Amino acid sequence: MLEDLTNMNNSAKLGAHICAVLWCGSLQLMLVDWSYNHEVLKASLYARVALGVAVLAGMLPLFIATTGSEMEFTTAFAAEPGVTVYLLVYLTYVAITCGEIAFLCSGMALSTSRRGHAWTSRGLATSAAAAVLGVAYAISKGSYLVFHYLRHPWPLRYEEIISPLLAGLATVALITGLTMAMVGRRLTQRKADQLVA
């Protein structure tokens, strides 16, 4: 439907990838804001915004130069160099942001665990596991593209099962983890309010 509205092939796939970049970037910025001290916060945020903008600026011309009616931006079309480069740019960004999200969430999980905030700690630990699954997704898909370029890929049917499974598990675990962390913060706040009252 999006392709009919925009009259551009693969626009739905481009939209999905842009949303994924924005989603990963937003989570990364939120966690950096929670974790970094005031002295380095602005520079840290600007650096990550610049990386996200650079990735999108790299993806768009690759997409426009490569898109066609007979192809899709999936690993099934890894024989197309433009598709491979586009996907590797996107997947590299996903791996970097998910890696930092995993690092920040695990650090905050340990910190909240020491302070006795069990729900928040478990939620952040689940979010860290979700980010690790995100890294695994990017590595799985990206390594298939690299090995395809080197002419030694594993069967495509395995990649088409493993990568969506990892992406789905990462999404479910992340939503679950962030929900648990938010519930934990609410419970902690409620207990504090009750003590004050």
Side-chain angles (χ1 to χ4, degrees):
M1 181 174 172
L2 185 60
E3 292 177 9
D4 295 333
L5 290 172
T6 60
N7 200 27
M8 184 171 71
N9 293 313
N10 294 303
S11 55
K13 184 63 75 175
L14 176 64
H17 288 160
I18 289 173
C19 286
V21 167
L22 294 175
W23 190 43
C24 288
S26 298
L27 286 170
Q28 184 186 35
L29 291 175
M30 178 185 75
L31 292 168
V32 165
D33 186 42
W34 287 359
S35 304
Y36 283 45
N37 60 40
H38 186 70
E39 289 76 24
V40 297
L41 180 59
K42 269 191 180 179
S44 301
L45 292 174
Y46 289 151
R48 284 153 184 83
V49 168
L51 176 61
V53 169
V55 167
L56 289 174
M59 285 170 57
L60 289 172
L62 282 167
F63 178 86
I64 291 166
T66 308
T67 192
S69 59
E70 300 301 319
M71 75 172 65
E72 293 178 22
F73 283 76
T74 65
T75 47
F77 289 82
E80 294 288 338
V83 171
T84 296
V85 174
Y86 169 91
L87 288 175
L88 285 175
V89 169
Y90 162 70
L91 293 166
T92 300
Y93 180 77
V94 170
I96 290 168
T97 53
C98 285
E100 184 171 34
I101 289 167
F103 175 76
L104 294 173
C105 282
S106 59
M108 286 190 292
L110 287 171
S111 174
T112 54
S113 176
R114 289 188 197 111
R115 286 179 286 179
H117 303 305
W119 271 79
T120 304
S121 177
R122 288 181 196 135
L124 289 167
T126 304
S127 298
V132 170
L133 288 169
V135 173
Y137 157 79
I139 290 172
S140 170
K141 211 170 187 68
S143 59
Y144 176 85
L145 293 166
V146 170
F147 279 97
H148 188 281
Y149 175 77
L150 297 173
R151 302 189 188 282
H152 295 291
W154 50 88
L156 179 62
R157 66 182 181 277
Y158 296 148
E159 195 285 319
E160 289 178 336
I161 292 170
I162 294 168
S163 292
L165 178 64
L166 290 170
L169 289 172
T171 303
V172 170
L174 184 62
I175 292 168
T176 303
L178 292 177
T179 302
M180 288 171 67
M182 184 57 66
V183 168
R185 288 185 81 148
R186 296 282 183 189
L187 290 173
T188 302
Q189 186 63 45
R190 185 174 292 174
K191 284 180 184 176
D193 292 344
Q194 287 172 350
L195 288 172
V196 170

